Amino acid sequence: MGTRNYRRKTSHSEHGPGDGGRTGSWRVERPVLDQSLCIPCKRNKEACFICWLFCPEIVISRTIPPRVDLEYCKGCGICAEECPTRAITMVDEAKFSEEDKE
Amino acid sequence: MHIIENGNAAAALGVKLCRANVIAAYPITPQTPLTEKLSEYVERGDMKAEYIPVESEHSALAVCIAASSAGARVFTATSANGLLYMHEQVQWASGARLPIVMCVVNRAVGAPWNIWNDQQDSISQRDTGWIQIYCADHQQIIDTVIKAYWIAEKVSIPIMVCYDGYILSHTFMPFDLPDQEKVDGFLPPFKPEYALSPEEPANLNTVTLPDVRLDVHGELAHSYMEIRYLLQEDLRTTLTVAADAEKRFGEIFDRCGDPYIESYRCDDADHVAVGLGSLTYQLRVSVDALRKEGIKVGVMGVRFYRPFPDEAIANALKGKKTVIVFEKALSYGYEGALTSDLKSALYEHLAGTGTLPSVQNFIVGIGGREIRTDDLTQMFRSATQGRVSREPTWIGLKL
């Protein structure tokens, strides 16, 4: 199956997840959240969300707990860097099993 | 209506008749009078268009790319080093599939500085994915601009309309100025499939990964390789579209010809000269002179250079004894680019048929060196008598 019948002849992206490809495959480190340190988790209130605010890929949800869409997270580590309570740690992808990766 | 004007004015009048919406250009000799003319039309209100002054040729084409993406019919023009300075955006315009029309008023490229005519500028842009059409007189300039918009908008590929600096750009010649009504009948308003709009936001020409991807609608979208293949495929199809354009133009304006080549006394010729632009009309004088001596010669102008009409050219030259390519440019380190392309077409279509002509290459008029018709005739005559040289022969060289 190819792209012969695709409706355009250029690279044309619309707003939405994944229009730049599955960028999750670029990741070498994965953000892992420690809910015991995360402010909204601890207080069970909509608060902080610095990770959501700073994520350049818009892959962190504004929820309790915040969730990372690993399909598109490039593993840049900005969320871990910005988290005021150091609740996010970047962990080597090699540490996760093949199942976890998918 | 017949008028007498220079070649740059012929181009400007063509752009005006096509009702271009946006013009962005940076003046460079010998293109300058063309852009001046257009700015006059806009300033006087003769043309309802935005004339955007820019600080460079790179910006001129960048403005055209943006305006064309937003659905405007756009125009720019340049020469020589201006075209070279544009080069990055030249590649972008074709990859983005924008139907931009640009006049290239052919001039030698530096170093050393030289403002006179040869064709090294546009020939050096041969592989950029643009359509290239060469004009031999003022009527062809104005008609080609009009046809160019029609073709470009049909195939979504930009077009360079090339004509010789000074020899055509600054000389005055009578030509027919097409009626506005007829041009409107020939060329409908530009309506692209997609034009940038706040209602339908999109990111254009975004990075493509090496492999195809699913877009936001879950459809399998092209990657770089597919997009580039489609450009090549559509460039080849453009040859058919160009024939349609010529036919349609003929029906409305009562003049047309072969869309790809322009032959003069070639039918019974044993030896045929080939070239691009005004040089082929000068060669007609040599053809007439040599015919009087009893030598069966003809001349063929190549109008469409990219996409290359290989089949039409090979058919036209089938069975000729000699093909002599006169060029105002070359692929440095080898030979004239047209010569190589032509040999490739002849080999592809005629090899093994016993009808393959021998090919010789002459380089003339580099940096505006005077091309004396007597010299052309003499070299043409020599070439009909046998191979002058394996290497390209430079005519008029004083070394």
Side-chain angles (χ1 to χ4, degrees):
Chain A
M1 194 181 82
T3 61
R4 173 55 82 182
N5 297 321
Y6 192 60
R7 64 191 185 285
R8 299 186 195 282
K9 290 181 174 181
T10 53
S11 171
H12 181 111
S13 292
E14 290 165 63
H15 179 74
D19 221 11
R22 295 191 177 194
T23 48
S25 65
W26 301 12
R27 196 174 58 245
V28 290
E29 287 185 326
R30 177 186 297 195
V32 175
L33 180 70
D34 181 344
Q35 293 194 17
S36 70
L37 295 173
C38 170
I39 293 168
C41 293
K42 269 165 59 180
R43 299 175 61 194
N44 197 26
K45 279 185 180 151
E46 296 223 336
C48 185
F49 293 128
I50 294 284
C51 53
W52 164 83
L53 183 65
F54 274 83
C55 175
E57 298 297 322
I58 333 174
V59 297
I60 301 181
S61 64
R62 202 176 181 282
T63 53
I64 307 168
R67 287 202 178 79
V68 179
D69 186 345
L70 292 173
E71 194 81 7
Y72 303 112
C73 167
K74 293 173 180 166
C76 70
I78 289 175
C79 52
E81 184 69 26
E82 295 296 337
C83 176
T85 60
R86 301 259 170 226
I88 300 171
T89 326
M90 298 306 291
V91 180
D92 194 331
E93 276 292 328
K95 293 222 164 61
F96 298 90
S97 71
E98 286 299 318
E99 279 171 37
D100 278 350
K101 281 185 191 174
E102 287 161 10
Chain B
M1 180 179 67
H2 272 80
I3 58 167
I4 298 176
E5 259 297 358
N6 64 50
N8 278 328
L13 286 163
V15 175
K16 180 167 165 280
L17 287 168
C18 291
R19 302 186 188 277
N21 309 115
V22 173
I23 299 152
Y26 189 82
I28 183 168
T29 301
Q31 158 263 40
T32 308
L34 160 54
T35 49
E36 284 175 346
K37 204 72 168 171
L38 287 169
S39 72
E40 278 171 32
Y41 293 152
V42 174
E43 186 65 23
R44 272 208 307 262
D46 292 351
M47 230 184 133
K48 277 186 189 162
E50 283 288 329
Y51 187 98
I52 304 177
V54 285
E55 83 290 0
S56 75
E57 287 84 359
H58 187 277
S59 302
L61 193 49
V63 164
C64 288
I65 286 169
S68 183
S69 303
R73 181 173 284 157
V74 303
F75 179 79
T76 188
T78 190
S79 297
N81 288 55
L83 179 59
L84 307 189
Y85 193 33
M86 237 182 222
H87 180 71
E88 187 238 7
Q89 296 288 297
V90 169
Q91 299 268 9
W92 194 269
S94 56
R97 303 299 298 268
L98 298 169
I100 296 167
V101 172
M102 166 162 70
C103 281
V104 177
V105 189
N106 289 117
R107 166 186 148 180
V109 299
W113 279 121
N114 181 299
I115 61 160
W116 287 273
N117 166 246
D118 67 31
Q119 294 170 339
Q120 192 66 39
D121 51 359
S122 56
I123 292 296
S124 78
Q125 305 299 304
R126 181 189 67 171
D127 301 338
T128 54
W130 282 55
I131 295 160
Q132 280 196 359
I133 310 174
Y134 287 80
C135 306
D137 67 15
H138 296 23
Q139 190 68 63
Q140 286 186 9
I141 294 173
I142 189 165
D143 291 355
T144 304
V145 166
I146 298 166
K147 284 179 230 172
Y149 277 108
W150 193 83
I151 296 168
E153 289 167 13
K154 271 270 183 280
V155 297
S156 297
I157 297 173
I159 302 189
M160 290 183 203
V161 176
C162 309
Y163 56 93
D164 291 305
Y166 304 106
I167 297 167
L168 295 180
S169 69
H170 285 61
T171 54
F172 284 70
M173 207 186 272
F175 58 90
D176 175 57
L177 179 68
D179 292 338
Q180 182 68 62
E181 276 178 26
K182 282 187 178 176
V183 176
D184 291 341
F186 176 78
L187 183 70
F190 175 42
K191 287 208 175 71
E193 273 184 41
Y194 174 82
L196 271 176
S197 130
E199 280 77 47
E200 215 186 324
N203 204 348
L204 305 182
N205 312 301
T206 42
V207 69
T208 41
L209 304 182
D211 210 348
V212 294
R213 67 179 168 85
L214 289 175
D215 71 7
V216 284
H217 307 290
E219 289 175 56
L220 197 63
H222 313 301
S223 183
Y224 187 84
M225 200 157 163
E226 290 72 33
I227 289 167
R228 287 281 154 172
Y229 175 84
L230 290 169
L231 174 60
Q232 161 69 4
E233 188 175 72
D234 289 349
L235 271 162
R236 296 303 293 169
T237 310
T238 298
L239 289 172
T240 315
V241 177
D244 294 344
E246 196 68 24
K247 189 166 165 279
R248 217 175 115 75
F249 192 90
E251 284 163 7
I252 294 178
F253 299 96
D254 282 332
R255 60 173 171 270
C256 64
D258 186 302
Y260 320 122
I261 54 176
E262 196 179 12
S263 298
Y264 178 73
R265 302 184 83 165
C266 284
D267 287 349
D268 67 333
D270 294 325
H271 317 278
V272 174
V274 179
L276 299 166
S278 63
L279 178 62
T280 56
Y281 280 14
Q282 191 178 356
L283 278 161
R284 290 181 176 191
V285 182
S286 297
V287 166
D288 291 344
L290 293 172
R291 284 268 176 179
K292 273 185 192 153
E293 295 174 21
I295 309 173
K296 285 183 172 178
V297 291
V299 58
M300 186 181 92
V302 176
R303 296 176 59 193
F304 246 76
Y305 182 47
R306 278 294 179 277
F308 196 59
D310 54 303
E311 202 173 350
I313 288 176
N315 284 338
L317 298 175
K318 187 178 182 178
K320 304 296 179 197
K321 285 183 188 144
T322 326
V323 172
I324 307 121
V325 191
F326 291 82
E327 291 188 74
K328 290 180 177 178
L330 76 161
S331 171
Y332 279 90
Y334 192 34
E335 62 185 3
L338 176 61
T339 301
S340 296
D341 289 334
L342 199 132
K343 281 180 182 171
S344 147
L346 294 178
Y347 184 86
E348 175 63 30
H349 295 280
L350 306 180
T353 63
T355 55
L356 200 60
S358 83
V359 179
Q360 299 192 44
N361 186 199
F362 291 114
I363 305 298
V364 291
I366 298 297
R369 175 64 53 88
E370 188 185 359
I371 303 170
R372 297 181 61 248
T373 307
D374 284 351
D375 290 347
L376 289 179
T377 309
Q378 196 191 319
M379 293 312 289
F380 199 169
R381 188 190 297 109
S382 309
T384 63
Q385 290 158 1
R387 197 169 190 81
V388 175
S389 167
R390 259 198 74 216
E391 295 290 325
T393 305
W394 293 50
I395 301 177
L397 186 69
K398 297 179 179 174
L399 197 66

